[in-house]
Amino acid sequence: MATSGEAVTRHTVITYCTAGVDLFGFEDLTCNWEGDVDVYVDSDNSAVFTCGNGHVNETTWDAIAGDE
């Protein structure tokens, strides 16, 4: 995983995130956020980033780079 510290590189990308929000007992609401995030990519192609809304995303660099 990208947080292992082995050959980790940082990339800044513009992303759009959604995360579930528990508001007044309703868990199906979604918090949306768009902006720049730092993506940490490890040598095994895993990537992790946290959106401004606090949603932690674990994915691969290929999946992110394919969106650009």
Side-chain angles (χ1 to χ4, degrees):
M1 181 41 73
T3 57
S4 69
E6 300 174 15
V8 174
T9 58
R10 185 182 75 188
H11 305 269
T12 301
V13 298
I14 298 172
T15 190
Y16 178 77
C17 298
T18 61
V21 176
D22 185 3
L23 185 62
F24 304 115
F26 296 99
E27 295 180 19
D28 59 347
L29 299 177
T30 300
C31 175
N32 298 315
W33 182 85
E34 183 174 3
D36 290 344
V37 295
D38 288 332
V39 180
Y40 297 92
V41 183
D42 206 342
S43 58
D44 66 356
N45 194 42
S46 62
V48 64
F49 63 95
T50 303
C51 288
N53 63 7
H55 183 221
V56 176
N57 297 272
E58 295 183 5
T59 184
T60 64
W61 177 245
D62 287 346
I64 295 169
D67 291 340
E68 296 182 329

